[in-house]
Amino acid sequence: MMRSAVFGATGGIGAAVVEALAARHPDGVIYAGARGKIPNLPQGARPFVFDLLDESSIKAAAEEIGRDGPLDLIFIATGILLNGTEIAPEKSWAKLDAGMMAQVFALNTIGPALIAKHFLPLLPREGRCVFAALSARVGSIADNRLGGWHSYRASKAALNMIVRNLAIEMKPRNSEAIAVTLHPGTVDSALSKPFQRGVPAEKLFTTAFSAHALLGVIDELQPDDSGKLFAWDGAEIPF
Ligand SMILES: NC(=O)c1ccc[n+]([C@@H]2O[C@H](COP(=O)([O-])OP(=O)(O)OC[C@H]3O[C@@H](n4cnc5c(N)ncnc54)[C@H](OP(=O)(O)O)[C@@H]3O)[C@@H](O)[C@H]2O)c1
């Protein structure tokens, strides 16, 4: 029986991952986490509350879920690119702002790291299990040819580094445990809405397509893949 915890179940991709897990594992248990109420939860999914900016809420969620037993999959689908008010991707170094950078790092890097701190102990000590966090291709330093989006790119590059570290630290505890970051493609969600102009229709994925593709990638991961960044189609993206 598959037991999963999805963080960001109100998000475009997070909600679709919850749906896709429910469809793929009708007998499984899905813990669906968000900071507010989650609309349209599939039947049987168990909601929990957490806020990336409040470590005590993450700790409390881990204690509650941990009482039921170990998890097979931890999927982090949270993240921020812009919020319509104080956070917006910088087109130039002239737009760098310490407060905005700190917020983006708090949400995209530190939050997932704190989830790892409290939830990795819920993975079993033997057998296959996966920790996956949504990163982005633009977080690859090797892939950066356009520049801009300083805070978002850097926060995802830092997330990739954190997850590589987690992978190394997890290995002696369970040689079959896997930790990866994933690029979901360009997906039609609130996060990408302002940037969809110019994206060819066939390259703008539905949330359902991306969620199924990402779960397919997770299914195929091997222990040697741990610590790496993979795209929705299974291709490794060099850091
Ligand atoms: N969409 C794309 O094209 C694309 C491309 C590359 C990478 N990604 C990555 O994929 C991930 C998901 O993106 P998406 O498109 O699904 O975005 P989205 O629809 O905007 O979802 C973002 C999620 O993050 C949650 N969140 C934000 N702040 C939070 C906080 N303080 N505590 C708890 N949850 C919080 C949101 O919760 P609320 O509903 O409460 O705000 C929401 O569930 C992100 O990491 C993004 O960088 C997306």
Side-chain angles (χ1 to χ4, degrees), residues 8-14 35-36 50-53 77-80 107-108 134-136 152 156 183-187 189-192:
T10 49
I13 300 170
R35 58 182 166 169
F50 79 100
D51 189 323
L52 290 167
L53 303 178
T78 53
I80 191 90
L107 292 166
N108 286 351
L134 290 184
S135 181
Y152 184 75
K156 293 296 193 181
H183 168 61
T186 303
V187 183
S189 71
L191 181 141
S192 70

Side-chain angles (χ1 to χ4, degrees), residues 193-236:
K193 208 53 105 195
F195 308 99
Q196 291 179 3
R197 228 170 35 158
V199 179
E202 70 280 6
K203 293 210 166 145
L204 182 62
F205 300 153
T206 64
T207 54
F209 175 86
S210 178
H212 279 283
L214 293 170
L215 292 177
V217 172
I218 287 174
D219 281 348
E220 297 300 319
L221 290 173
Q222 302 298 318
D224 279 353
D225 295 326
S226 196
K228 298 177 181 172
L229 165 65
F230 291 94
W232 60 275
D233 59 358
E236 183 186 342

Side-chain angles (χ1 to χ4, degrees), residues 97-157:
D97 176 87
M100 184 176 85
M101 287 189 93
Q103 285 190 66
V104 173
F105 270 77
L107 292 166
N108 286 351
T109 314
I110 300 169
L114 294 174
I115 291 173
K117 173 181 170 184
H118 294 287
F119 275 78
L120 286 181
L122 271 53
L123 293 181
R125 295 192 78 103
E126 46 184 44
R128 189 178 189 278
C129 53
V130 176
F131 174 94
L134 290 184
S135 181
R137 185 183 296 279
V138 298
S140 161
I141 294 172
D143 193 73
N144 185 2
R145 287 170 198 88
L146 289 177
W149 293 23
H150 296 277
S151 300
Y152 184 75
R153 283 184 188 275
S155 68
K156 293 296 193 181

